[in-house]
Amino acid sequence: RDDMFRNKLILAPLTTVGNLPYRRICVEYGADTTLSEMALIYNLNRTQRSEWSLLRRHNTEGLFGLQVAVNRPGDAQQFAKAIEASGFSYDFIDINCGCPVELIVRQGCGCGLWEKKGKLRQVVQALVEYQSKPVTIKCRIGPDEADPQLHKHIGEYEEWGAAAVTIHGRSRKQRYTKLANWSYIEQCSRLTNLPVIGNGDIMGYSDVEQHRADAPNISSYMLGRGALIKPW
Protein backbone atom coordinates (compact mmCIF):
# COMPACT_ATOMS: atom_id res chain seq x y z
CA ARG A 1 0.00 0.00 0.00
CA ASP A 2 2.82 2.36 0.81
CA ASP A 3 4.21 2.07 -2.73
CA MET A 4 0.89 3.29 -4.11
CA PHE A 5 1.76 6.81 -2.97
CA ARG A 6 5.51 6.96 -3.62
CA ASN A 7 7.28 8.19 -6.77
CA LYS A 8 4.04 9.07 -8.54
CA LEU A 9 2.83 11.95 -10.68
CA ILE A 10 -0.74 12.48 -9.55
CA LEU A 11 -3.49 14.44 -11.29
CA ALA A 12 -5.32 16.56 -8.73
CA PRO A 13 -9.08 16.18 -8.28
CA LEU A 14 -10.43 19.13 -10.27
CA THR A 15 -14.07 20.00 -9.66
CA THR A 16 -16.10 20.44 -12.90
CA VAL A 17 -13.04 19.98 -15.16
CA GLY A 18 -11.38 16.80 -13.88
CA ASN A 19 -13.95 14.65 -15.63
CA LEU A 20 -13.38 11.23 -17.13
CA PRO A 21 -12.48 12.34 -20.70
CA TYR A 22 -9.97 14.88 -19.38
CA ARG A 23 -8.41 12.31 -17.04
CA ARG A 24 -7.99 9.91 -19.97
CA ILE A 25 -5.98 12.58 -21.81
CA CYS A 26 -3.75 13.11 -18.77
CA VAL A 27 -3.16 9.36 -18.44
CA GLU A 28 -1.95 9.33 -22.05
CA TYR A 29 0.52 12.08 -21.16
CA GLY A 30 1.93 10.22 -18.18
CA ALA A 31 -0.26 10.67 -15.08
CA ASP A 32 0.39 7.69 -12.81
CA THR A 33 -2.60 8.33 -10.55
CA THR A 34 -5.93 10.07 -11.12
CA LEU A 35 -8.77 11.06 -8.83
CA SER A 36 -12.44 11.65 -9.36
CA GLU A 37 -13.96 15.09 -9.12
CA MET A 38 -14.92 15.89 -5.53
CA ALA A 39 -18.18 14.12 -4.64
CA LEU A 40 -20.33 15.07 -1.65
CA ILE A 41 -20.99 12.08 0.59
CA TYR A 42 -24.29 13.70 1.70
CA ASN A 43 -25.51 13.42 -1.90
CA LEU A 44 -23.99 9.97 -2.47
CA ASN A 45 -25.84 8.63 0.56
CA ARG A 46 -29.07 9.92 -0.95
CA THR A 47 -28.29 7.98 -4.15
CA GLN A 48 -28.11 11.02 -6.39
CA ARG A 49 -27.18 9.53 -9.76
CA SER A 50 -25.32 12.65 -10.89
CA GLU A 51 -23.09 12.46 -7.81
CA TRP A 52 -22.37 8.74 -8.20
CA SER A 53 -21.48 9.32 -11.86
CA LEU A 54 -18.53 11.44 -10.67
CA LEU A 55 -16.96 8.25 -9.28
CA ARG A 56 -16.85 6.36 -12.58
CA ARG A 57 -13.45 5.09 -13.65
CA HIS A 58 -12.20 4.49 -17.18
CA ASN A 59 -10.32 1.27 -17.79
CA THR A 60 -7.23 3.20 -18.91
CA GLU A 61 -6.85 4.86 -15.50
CA GLY A 62 -4.15 3.05 -13.52
CA LEU A 63 -4.31 4.00 -9.87
CA PHE A 64 -7.62 5.72 -9.23
CA GLY A 65 -8.92 7.44 -6.10
CA LEU A 66 -12.35 8.65 -5.10
CA GLN A 67 -12.25 12.16 -3.66
CA VAL A 68 -15.06 12.84 -1.21
CA ALA A 69 -16.21 15.72 0.95
CA VAL A 70 -17.95 14.87 4.21
CA ASN A 71 -18.77 16.54 7.51
CA ARG A 72 -20.24 13.74 9.65
CA PRO A 73 -18.56 10.49 10.73
CA GLY A 74 -21.90 8.68 10.50
CA ASP A 75 -22.26 9.72 6.86
CA ALA A 76 -18.72 8.49 6.20
CA GLN A 77 -19.59 5.12 7.70
CA GLN A 78 -22.76 4.81 5.62
CA PHE A 79 -20.88 5.66 2.43
CA ALA A 80 -18.02 3.28 3.23
CA LYS A 81 -20.43 0.38 3.61
CA ALA A 82 -22.19 1.32 0.37
CA ILE A 83 -19.04 1.71 -1.73
CA GLU A 84 -17.64 -1.57 -0.38
CA ALA A 85 -20.79 -3.39 -1.49
CA SER A 86 -21.24 -1.48 -4.77
CA GLY A 87 -18.65 -3.10 -7.01
CA PHE A 88 -17.25 0.32 -7.95
CA SER A 89 -13.65 0.15 -9.15
CA TYR A 90 -11.24 2.28 -7.12
CA ASP A 91 -7.89 1.98 -5.35
CA PHE A 92 -8.20 4.48 -2.48
CA ILE A 93 -10.46 7.11 -0.95
CA ASP A 94 -9.21 10.67 -0.52
CA ILE A 95 -10.86 12.95 2.05
CA ASN A 96 -11.10 16.56 0.89
CA CYS A 97 -9.88 18.72 3.78
CA GLY A 98 -8.52 21.46 1.56
CA CYS A 99 -11.41 23.07 -0.33
CA PRO A 100 -11.49 26.76 0.72
CA VAL A 101 -14.81 27.64 -0.93
CA GLU A 102 -16.96 29.33 1.70
CA LEU A 103 -20.11 27.33 0.95
CA ILE A 104 -18.24 24.05 1.45
CA VAL A 105 -16.41 25.30 4.56
CA ARG A 106 -19.65 26.52 6.18
CA GLN A 107 -21.10 23.02 5.72
CA GLY A 108 -18.16 21.61 7.69
CA CYS A 109 -16.49 20.05 4.66
CA GLY A 110 -13.14 20.80 3.04
CA CYS A 111 -11.08 23.16 5.22
CA GLY A 112 -14.02 23.22 7.62
CA LEU A 113 -13.51 19.52 8.40
CA TRP A 114 -9.74 19.89 8.82
CA GLU A 115 -10.25 22.59 11.43
CA LYS A 116 -12.30 20.14 13.56
CA LYS A 117 -9.65 17.56 14.36
CA GLY A 118 -11.82 15.26 16.44
CA LYS A 119 -14.42 14.97 13.70
CA LEU A 120 -11.74 14.44 11.04
CA ARG A 121 -10.26 11.61 13.10
CA GLN A 122 -13.67 9.92 13.33
CA VAL A 123 -14.24 10.32 9.58
CA VAL A 124 -10.87 8.72 8.77
CA GLN A 125 -11.48 5.87 11.19
CA ALA A 126 -14.97 5.20 9.81
CA LEU A 127 -13.74 5.04 6.21
CA VAL A 128 -10.83 2.79 7.22
CA GLU A 129 -13.03 0.41 9.22
CA TYR A 130 -15.99 -0.01 6.89
CA GLN A 131 -14.30 -0.40 3.48
CA SER A 132 -11.13 -2.19 2.46
CA LYS A 133 -9.09 0.33 0.44
CA PRO A 134 -6.52 2.87 1.75
CA VAL A 135 -7.74 6.26 2.96
CA THR A 136 -5.80 9.47 2.36
CA ILE A 137 -6.12 13.06 3.55
CA LYS A 138 -5.74 16.12 1.31
CA CYS A 139 -5.30 19.34 3.26
CA ARG A 140 -3.69 22.77 3.35
CA ILE A 141 -1.08 24.22 5.69
CA GLY A 142 -3.73 25.78 7.96
CA PRO A 143 -6.26 28.63 8.05
CA ASP A 144 -3.66 31.42 7.69
CA GLU A 145 -0.29 31.27 5.94
CA ALA A 146 1.18 33.62 8.56
CA ASP A 147 0.65 30.92 11.20
CA PRO A 148 0.64 27.44 9.59
CA GLN A 149 -0.73 24.70 11.82
CA LEU A 150 -0.38 21.40 9.99
CA HIS A 151 2.95 20.50 11.62
CA LYS A 152 1.13 20.23 14.96
CA HIS A 153 -1.26 17.55 13.69
CA ILE A 154 0.26 15.58 10.80
CA GLY A 155 2.06 13.16 13.14
CA GLU A 156 -1.29 11.81 14.34
CA TYR A 157 -2.70 10.83 10.96
CA GLU A 158 -0.90 7.49 10.82
CA GLU A 159 -2.40 6.48 14.18
CA TRP A 160 -5.86 7.21 12.82
CA GLY A 161 -5.29 4.78 9.95
CA ALA A 162 -4.55 7.18 7.08
CA ALA A 163 -2.28 5.81 4.33
CA ALA A 164 -0.90 9.09 2.93
CA VAL A 165 -1.27 12.88 3.15
CA THR A 166 -1.42 15.37 0.30
CA ILE A 167 -0.37 18.88 1.33
CA HIS A 168 -1.39 21.88 -0.76
CA GLY A 169 1.20 24.41 0.34
CA ARG A 170 -1.28 27.26 0.77
CA SER A 171 -3.60 28.31 3.57
CA ARG A 172 -7.39 28.48 3.46
CA LYS A 173 -7.10 32.28 3.47
CA GLN A 174 -4.82 32.25 0.42
CA ARG A 175 -7.18 30.10 -1.62
CA TYR A 176 -5.18 29.94 -4.91
CA THR A 177 -3.19 33.17 -4.64
CA LYS A 178 0.50 33.81 -3.91
CA LEU A 179 3.04 30.98 -3.94
CA ALA A 180 2.77 27.57 -2.30
CA ASN A 181 5.12 27.07 0.64
CA TRP A 182 7.17 24.03 -0.36
CA SER A 183 9.68 24.42 2.45
CA TYR A 184 6.80 23.99 4.90
CA ILE A 185 5.55 20.92 3.00
CA GLU A 186 9.03 19.45 3.39
CA GLN A 187 9.06 20.36 7.09
CA CYS A 188 5.77 18.53 7.62
CA SER A 189 6.96 15.51 5.63
CA ARG A 190 9.69 14.98 8.22
CA LEU A 191 7.12 14.70 11.00
CA THR A 192 5.31 11.60 9.73
CA ASN A 193 6.14 8.13 8.44
CA LEU A 194 3.33 8.41 5.91
CA PRO A 195 4.02 9.22 2.26
CA VAL A 196 3.54 12.97 1.74
CA ILE A 197 2.34 14.19 -1.65
CA GLY A 198 3.29 17.78 -2.44
CA ASN A 199 0.88 20.06 -4.29
CA GLY A 200 0.99 23.65 -5.48
CA ASP A 201 2.45 25.62 -8.41
CA ILE A 202 3.82 22.65 -10.36
CA MET A 203 3.65 23.94 -13.92
CA GLY A 204 6.06 21.51 -15.58
CA TYR A 205 8.43 18.61 -15.04
CA SER A 206 11.30 20.97 -14.24
CA ASP A 207 9.36 22.03 -11.13
CA VAL A 208 9.11 18.39 -10.02
CA GLU A 209 12.85 17.94 -10.51
CA GLN A 210 13.55 21.07 -8.49
CA HIS A 211 11.32 19.92 -5.62
CA ARG A 212 12.98 16.50 -5.63
CA ALA A 213 16.33 18.21 -5.14
CA ASP A 214 15.14 20.72 -2.52
CA ALA A 215 12.63 18.56 -0.62
CA PRO A 216 13.82 14.94 -0.65
CA ASN A 217 11.31 13.70 1.94
CA ILE A 218 8.31 14.42 -0.27
CA SER A 219 7.13 11.15 -1.79
CA SER A 220 5.04 12.15 -4.82
CA TYR A 221 3.76 15.21 -6.67
CA MET A 222 0.24 16.37 -7.47
CA LEU A 223 -0.50 18.63 -10.43
CA GLY A 224 -3.64 20.76 -10.72
CA ARG A 225 -3.71 24.00 -12.68
CA GLY A 226 -0.43 23.17 -14.41
CA ALA A 227 -2.04 20.07 -15.91
CA LEU A 228 -5.06 22.11 -16.97
CA ILE A 229 -2.91 24.60 -18.84
CA LYS A 230 -0.65 21.97 -20.44
CA PRO A 231 -1.66 18.33 -19.87
CA TRP A 232 1.54 17.27 -21.61
Side-chain angles (χ1 to χ4, degrees):
R1 286 193 174 195
D2 195 62
D3 290 345
M4 189 183 295
F5 306 107
R6 295 191 184 276
N7 300 312
K8 298 291 189 294
L9 292 177
I10 301 169
L11 180 66
L14 299 161
T15 301
T16 72
V17 290
N19 52 39
L20 190 149
Y22 172 73
R23 297 197 308 267
R24 288 179 63 186
I25 292 171
C26 291
V27 167
E28 290 179 10
Y29 284 119
D32 299 309
T33 304
T34 53
L35 288 102
S36 71
E37 297 176 66
M38 180 185 74
L40 301 175
I41 280 184
Y42 180 89
N43 293 340
L44 293 169
N45 286 348
R46 282 150 186 81
T47 61
Q48 288 190 14
R49 292 180 65 183
S50 59
E51 207 75 17
W52 277 92
S53 70
L54 298 175
L55 307 184
R56 287 189 302 129
R57 175 189 204 168
H58 191 264
N59 59 19
T60 59
E61 294 182 272
L63 290 170
F64 178 66
L66 308 179
Q67 209 210 37
V68 296
V70 61
N71 61 359
R72 296 185 183 92
D75 287 351
Q77 177 179 326
Q78 181 181 344
F79 167 73
K81 291 178 177 178
I83 197 71
E84 183 73 9
S86 69
F88 262 70
S89 176
Y90 69 102
D91 298 299
F92 63 97
I93 292 177
D94 184 57
I95 305 169
N96 185 319
C97 298
C99 179
V101 175
E102 195 61 32
L103 176 63
I104 297 294
V105 173
R106 282 204 308 266
Q107 293 174 350
C109 298
C111 290
L113 176 63
W114 186 83
E115 291 168 20
K116 295 179 178 175
K117 187 173 78 169
K119 189 170 283 188
L120 173 57
R121 181 185 69 248
Q122 292 176 316
V123 165
V124 172
Q125 290 171 339
L127 291 173
V128 168
E129 181 176 355
Y130 290 99
Q131 59 83 52
S132 57
K133 301 296 176 68
V135 175
T136 63
I137 296 169
K138 186 175 190 291
C139 61
R140 290 177 175 246
I141 64 175
D144 192 322
E145 66 274 16
D147 184 27
Q149 297 290 310
L150 179 59
H151 65 281
K152 299 178 181 179
H153 310 292
I154 192 169
E156 300 179 48
Y157 296 165
E158 185 177 14
E159 301 169 20
W160 300 353
V165 185
T166 298
I167 304 174
H168 182 169
R170 290 184 172 88
S171 68
R172 171 163 68 92
K173 180 180 174 183
Q174 279 179 281
R175 293 174 65 97
Y176 302 98
T177 63
K178 303 180 182 176
L179 293 176
N181 188 343
W182 278 84
S183 62
Y184 185 74
I185 299 176
E186 169 70 3
Q187 177 188 335
C188 289
S189 72
R190 296 174 185 161
L191 301 174
T192 178
N193 294 317
L194 295 176
V196 168
I197 300 158
N199 174 223
D201 300 330
I202 297 177
M203 307 305 286
Y205 195 71
S206 60
D207 294 326
V208 172
E209 291 179 321
Q210 189 64 55
H211 292 316
R212 280 178 174 156
D214 296 341
N217 287 292
I218 295 172
S219 303
S220 291
Y221 300 89
M222 181 176 283
L223 292 78
R225 288 175 298 163
L228 276 176
I229 295 167
K230 292 182 178 180
W232 55 91

